[in-house]
Amino acid sequence: MKCMWKRSLRRWLCMGLLAGMCMSAVGCSKVDNSEPASQDGAAAAPSPSTEPEASPTPEATPEAMPPIYEVPEAEAVLGTRLCEHYQGYFTVGTCISSSMLGNEKLEKLVLEQFNTVTCENEMKPDALLNQMACISQNEVVVMFPKRATDILDWAKEHDLKVRGHVLVWHSQTPDWFFKEGFQNNGALVSKEVMLSRMESYIKQVIEYCDTNYPGLVYVWDVVNEAFEDGSGEYRNSYWYQILGEDFIRYAFEYARKYASPETKLFYNDFNCYIDQKQTAIMTVVKELISLGLIDGVGMQSHLDVDYPSVDNYTRTLERFSKLGIEVQITELDVTTTGNDEASFQKQGEYYDKLFQIISIYEKLGSTNITGLTLWGVSDIYSWRSSQYPLLFDAALEPKPAYYGVLQEKQEQ
Ligand code: XIL
């Protein structure tokens, strides 16, 4: 399967114009201060004029014709696996939800294309924490529900590695977890109590996985979304209110204490290409590196065809890689405007350009991407389904986006 990679590489190396553009982007120090983030963690597209471009792209010139993506019959796709295409460079995964299991066609597609999975919601604190048990035992009680173990069993059965998502997050973590007596209306607990709850939670979750599924969960998103977009300030979460800025370090200390030495520990966030936020993340990550507590940074990557520019995005991949740790693209999806051919073509072009540059950077050693996860398989199951962000349509047929990722297209 390396031949596919080599075939693509030959094409990239022929693309002197694009490579030149990439290299100029590498050295570009232009700062993007525009703030397009929406509350839900997804990038929103500002008007094109607010998005600074590092350099002209081939697509921007009037002479350049957009590529035409040939979308063959679904059968023709079989045998072309995304994960094999990038084998030796990074794993390629998807998130799945327990409701997807049992859908034969969908399961088959996941097994054909991907070699890692992330539980979309099933391993988040609100899925694992049991309030009644916490109240009655007056301590943190973690219980993996069937919908989580179903996915873990399925992944194990099919030899798929799992990204553990997520230990410490402000969202999808019940408020009562931070309150006296685990009561909905209790006062916030003291720092001492919260630290012991954090340690107990992290210990139980990691130990449950290591005991019941040894080696399956190979990476944990230890802390997710600690910083505000525009300001780069700490998000005013309960974690921050009770434990202060040190909550991130504590979380990594506990994760390191209980995880096996081979398990990778990641900080994960969205909109990492926004300057202030990127600086805040870099500062904390550098501190964690100096303490030997972190293995990588996860860029969620909820993108849109109009924002951020691929150059801006890939510069961020490179900056994080220069820290000397792993980088993973953990939740990639690229929204587009409509459910029509023109929108899907535009989206295909975005994915294509993104993967051209990612591939060049990886080949040149400018980035250290070890894993890439799409945030879903089909548009119909996406958390942003109204904007059709994924590689397969509602009928599970491949879209131009799929061929963009695979770097297979015909020039007009
Ligand atoms: C999303 C899920 O896809 C949705 O089903 C859920 O309703 C909300 O969370 N950042 C993350 C992911 O780290 O866990 C989020 O997943 C998307 C944003």
Side-chain angles (χ1 to χ4, degrees), residues 5 11 46 132 180 224 227 230 256 261 296 311 315 360 388:
W5 175 269
R11 194 175 127 239
M132 294 323 292
E180 293 284 1
N224 199 26
F227 299 101
R256 191 73 290 161
D311 295 343
R315 275 200 301 279
I360 291 170
Y388 314 99

Side-chain angles (χ1 to χ4, degrees), residues 35 38 97 143 158 174 195 209 214 233 253 270 312 326 343 365 410:
E35 177 35 63
S38 62
S97 61
M143 292 180 175
H158 296 287
L195 275 181
C209 292
E233 298 290 321
E253 278 175 2
F270 64 94
N312 185 3
E326 294 182 27
S343 300
Q410 284 193 339

Side-chain angles (χ1 to χ4, degrees), residues 71 77 80-83 86 92-94 109 113-114 332-335 344 347-348 350-352 354-355 372-382 387-407:
V71 181
V77 175
T80 305
R81 306 181 68 204
L82 293 172
C83 59
Y86 289 101
V92 184
T94 180
L109 188 57
Q113 299 295 334
F114 303 104
L332 178 63
D333 57 10
V334 182
T335 51
F344 286 173
Q347 183 185 49
Y350 190 99
Y351 272 106
D352 177 70
L354 181 62
F355 279 82
L372 181 144
T373 295
L374 276 298
W375 206 239
V377 181
S378 153
D379 286 340
I380 200 170
Y381 296 110
S382 164
Q387 295 161 287
Y388 314 99
L390 294 169
L391 310 188
F392 295 89
D393 66 17
L396 302 183
E397 298 296 329
K399 293 162 56 187
Y402 172 80
Y403 298 98
V405 175
L406 268 187
Q407 296 288 285

Side-chain angles (χ1 to χ4, degrees), residues 40-42 95 119-121 124 165-166 169 171-172 221 224-225 268 270 300 302 330-331 375 381-384:
D40 61 6
C95 75
C119 290
E120 183 168 11
N121 290 299
K124 292 174 177 173
H165 179 75
V166 48
W169 191 21
S171 181
Q172 291 182 269
D221 288 331
N224 199 26
E225 304 181 354
N268 194 48
F270 64 94
Q300 290 184 11
H302 296 294
T330 54
E331 305 177 18
W375 206 239
Y381 296 110
S382 164
W383 75 309
R384 305 202 285 166

Side-chain angles (χ1 to χ4, degrees), residues 11-210:
R11 194 175 127 239
W12 304 324
L13 294 178
C14 288
M15 299 180 71
L17 178 60
L18 177 66
M21 179 272 293
C22 291
M23 293 308 105
S24 70
V26 172
C28 180
S29 60
K30 198 162 185 172
V31 167
D32 178 1
N33 288 330
S34 60
E35 177 35 63
S38 62
Q39 286 293 326
D40 61 6
S47 73
S49 60
T50 64
E51 161 60 352
E53 289 291 332
S55 57
T57 66
E59 286 80 2
T61 61
E63 298 78 23
M65 296 300 287
I68 296 296
Y69 292 83
E70 294 292 325
V71 181
E73 292 303 311
E75 292 72 41
V77 175
L78 303 182
T80 305
R81 306 181 68 204
L82 293 172
C83 59
E84 285 181 354
H85 186 83
Y86 289 101
Q87 201 169 4
Y89 293 87
F90 44 79
T91 56
V92 184
T94 180
C95 75
I96 55 173
S97 61
S98 56
S99 60
M100 285 164 61
L101 297 180
N103 179 330
E104 214 174 294
K105 195 174 171 192
L106 196 52
E107 282 190 20
K108 188 162 171 269
L109 188 57
V110 171
L111 295 174
E112 271 169 10
Q113 299 295 334
F114 303 104
N115 54 11
T116 69
V117 288
T118 307
C119 290
E120 183 168 11
N121 290 299
E122 291 78 354
M123 285 171 68
K124 292 174 177 173
D126 63 358
L128 304 184
L129 281 167
N130 187 301
Q131 186 176 20
M132 294 323 292
C134 289
I135 291 172
S136 64
Q137 295 177 37
N138 196 26
E139 60 181 303
V140 176
V141 179
V142 166
M143 292 180 175
F144 273 65
K146 185 171 179 308
R147 63 195 177 104
T149 56
D150 279 351
I151 296 178
L152 294 172
D153 290 339
W154 188 78
K156 184 179 165 190
E157 181 189 344
H158 296 287
D159 210 19
L160 299 163
K161 292 282 182 210
V162 174
R163 291 198 86 258
H165 179 75
V166 48
L167 295 173
V168 171
W169 191 21
H170 68 282
S171 181
Q172 291 182 269
T173 303
D175 286 356
W176 54 259
F177 186 54
F178 302 91
K179 308 262 180 87
E180 293 284 1
F182 301 104
Q183 300 290 338
N184 296 332
N185 55 2
L188 290 183
V189 296
S190 66
K191 179 172 179 175
E192 192 189 7
V193 170
M194 203 61 231
L195 275 181
S196 109
R197 287 186 184 182
M198 179 194 257
E199 177 167 6
S200 175
Y201 180 76
I202 290 175
K203 176 179 192 287
Q204 289 184 57
V205 174
I206 289 178
E207 287 186 349
Y208 178 89
C209 292
D210 283 352

Side-chain angles (χ1 to χ4, degrees), residues 296-356:
V297 181
M299 287 174 61
Q300 290 184 11
S301 312
H302 296 294
L303 314 177
D304 180 84
V305 290
D306 289 321
Y307 185 86
S309 69
V310 169
D311 295 343
N312 185 3
Y313 175 82
T314 50
R315 275 200 301 279
T316 308
L317 281 174
E318 200 200 23
R319 282 185 190 141
F320 284 142
S321 296
K322 278 196 171 23
L323 295 174
I325 52 173
E326 294 182 27
V327 175
Q328 294 198 348
I329 296 168
T330 54
E331 305 177 18
L332 178 63
D333 57 10
V334 182
T335 51
T336 189
T337 39
N339 187 18
D340 56 75
E341 192 51 36
S343 300
F344 286 173
Q345 281 289 326
K346 185 173 175 187
Q347 183 185 49
E349 287 159 26
Y350 190 99
Y351 272 106
D352 177 70
K353 186 173 173 194
L354 181 62
F355 279 82
Q356 281 177 30

